[in-house]
Amino acid sequence: MTIFRKIIDGEIPCHRVYEDERVLAFLDVNPLSRGHVLVIPKEEAATLDALSDASSEAIGRVLPRLCRAVVRVTGCRAYNVLQNNGADAHQAVFHVHFHIIPRYADQGSETGGGLGIAWRSMGFDHGAGAALAERLATAAAED
Ligand code: 5GP
C-alpha cells in the first residue's frame, strides 16, 4: 500500500484541492514551487499504462480545469504537467499521479529547487523511425 492510498482513505491528511468519485487532487507536501498540485486516481495502479480507461477519462476530464485553477490562483507564467513512471523516471510513489508544477519568472520566493529538465535529443533516422512508428501503431491498435 502506498502513502497515496492512505491519503485517499483519509488515514493521512492532505490539503485537498478537488475530489470526485474517481479522482483526488491535493497540494504536494514537498512542492517544487508554490501551488504544486498532485492529481491522482482513486484506483490503485502503479503506473499510467496500468490505469483503466474509466480512471484515465476521469483524470483527463478534470486535469485542464485544475491547471486553470492553478494558473488563476497562483498567477504563474507557465506550468509543467509531469507524470513519472518507474524508478528510472524519478517515480517515488508507486500510485499513478500527475504533477502540476507552476513556473514563475522569479525563481526566488515562489520556487524551491525547481524542476530541472535536461532536454537533449538524440539523432533521428527516418527509416528506423517509420518502422518504429508502424510497430507502435499496431501495438496501440491491438491493445
Ligand atoms: P514522484 O517522484 O513519485 O513523481 O512524486 C511523488 C510526489 O509525492 C513527490 O513530489 C512528493 O513530495 C509527494 N509526496 C510524497 N509523500 C507525500 C505525502 O504524504 N503527502 C503529500 N501531499 N505529498 C507527498
Side-chain angles (χ1 to χ4, degrees):
M1 179 190 287
T2 70
I3 195 111
F4 289 174
R5 178 82 257 155
K6 293 183 177 173
I7 290 176
I8 292 165
D9 292 343
E11 288 174 39
I12 291 179
C14 71
H15 294 285
R16 190 168 55 215
V17 170
Y18 175 86
E19 183 165 16
D20 66 27
E21 195 189 331
R22 293 189 187 277
V23 180
L24 179 66
F26 50 95
L27 293 181
D28 194 305
V29 81
N30 294 301
L32 293 183
S33 61
R34 184 175 65 83
H36 182 165
V37 167
L38 295 173
V39 186
I40 70 173
K42 291 186 176 176
E43 176 186 336
E44 233 163 279
T47 51
L48 189 58
D49 50 281
L51 195 63
S52 70
D53 285 356
S55 289
S56 305
E57 283 165 17
I59 286 190
R61 220 172 8 249
V62 295
L63 203 46
R65 199 193 317 168
L66 290 166
C67 291
R68 284 193 292 276
V70 167
V71 168
R72 208 157 43 229
V73 170
T74 66
C76 65
R77 71 185 160 122
Y79 63 92
N80 293 96
V81 174
L82 183 68
Q83 204 279 312
N84 301 327
N85 298 280
D88 289 345
H90 207 285
Q91 185 177 14
V93 178
F94 288 85
H95 181 122
V96 171
H97 52 281
F98 290 77
H99 298 258
I100 304 173
I101 306 167
R103 310 292 292 246
Y104 299 100
D106 168 19
Q107 291 292 311
S109 60
E110 307 269 57
T111 308
L115 174 67
I117 301 178
W119 199 282
R120 301 186 202 97
S121 67
M122 61 188 288
F124 187 71
D125 177 299
H126 285 278
L132 181 58
E134 197 174 318
R135 287 180 58 204
L136 290 169
T138 302
E142 285 174 352
D143 191 14

